[in-house]
Amino acid sequence: MTVEKSGAVCTFCGQRITGESPEQPIPCEYCSSLAGGFPHLVVLTEAIAGSAVGYVEGATYPQILLSIAKFLLGKNDDKLCGLATIMAHLACEVAIERSLSDSFARKGIQSIEETVADILNGYNLANDKVRKLYASLTGDEIQEQPFWGSFLRSAKRRDNIIRKGLIVGRADAEESITAADDFLAHLTG
């Protein structure tokens, strides 16, 4: 008997799932995802306790987020590659927000920080307005760095994962994590 499951949707493409709950996941008829409408559980405490436990004390938020991205990729579950990509970029955005905040303070213009933050649409340096603000405040022409092309590809990939439900593979997620690693090393180096 085929019935619509109560509100179940494919976790990748968002299409409604019909049919009985199988013991083993079956591919989505629209996007071929094996998600089958059943959310994949990722226990973040396991992620932190697993890969990041040695880094939590004294680590920055970007370092911890990147460690979680690496942990997710290390699970060898291709369904987690998109999430690993998103976490890697979140690490970069948190680092940029912190860097901008420090720059406002160093220049003695903390009073405009909140106003500028309200105008920005996030802290992704792939956005030219954000990158130009960052370059003006820090003097760092980050777009000249060797990792910049990989970072831009990764930023576009991250946007497509979030906005369009793009499913990414291991090679793409690895490129994103490498780009984020290089990005963070540049900021802290």
Side-chain angles (χ1 to χ4, degrees), residues 87-135:
M87 292 297 285
H89 267 276
L90 181 58
C92 295
E93 291 177 25
V94 170
I96 289 301
E97 186 169 0
R98 182 75 255 153
S99 179
L100 288 175
S101 184
D102 290 347
S103 294
F104 280 116
R106 264 194 313 280
K107 293 187 179 288
I109 53 175
Q110 302 96 308
S111 61
I112 67 167
E113 181 178 358
E114 192 172 318
T115 303
V116 171
D118 289 345
I119 294 169
L120 294 177
N121 185 18
Y123 292 92
N124 185 353
L125 286 193
N127 176 318
D128 281 340
K129 284 193 282 187
V130 178
R131 185 190 50 76
K132 287 176 182 176
L133 173 66
Y134 170 81

Side-chain angles (χ1 to χ4, degrees), residues 171-188:
D172 287 337
E174 287 171 350
E175 181 187 33
S176 291
I177 287 174
T178 299
D181 222 348
D182 292 344
F183 184 96
L184 293 178
H186 172 77
L187 290 183
T188 59

Side-chain angles (χ1 to χ4, degrees), residues 3-41 79 167:
V3 295
E4 187 172 313
K5 292 186 221 170
S6 59
V9 295
C10 175
T11 55
F12 286 108
C13 71
Q15 293 293 324
R16 288 205 134 344
I17 305 283
T18 59
E20 295 181 24
S21 298
E23 290 295 319
Q24 293 291 334
I26 56 172
C28 171
E29 63 185 285
Y30 297 98
C31 72
S32 301
S33 165
L34 290 176
F38 301 99
H40 303 287
L41 298 177
K79 294 179 286 281
I167 300 170

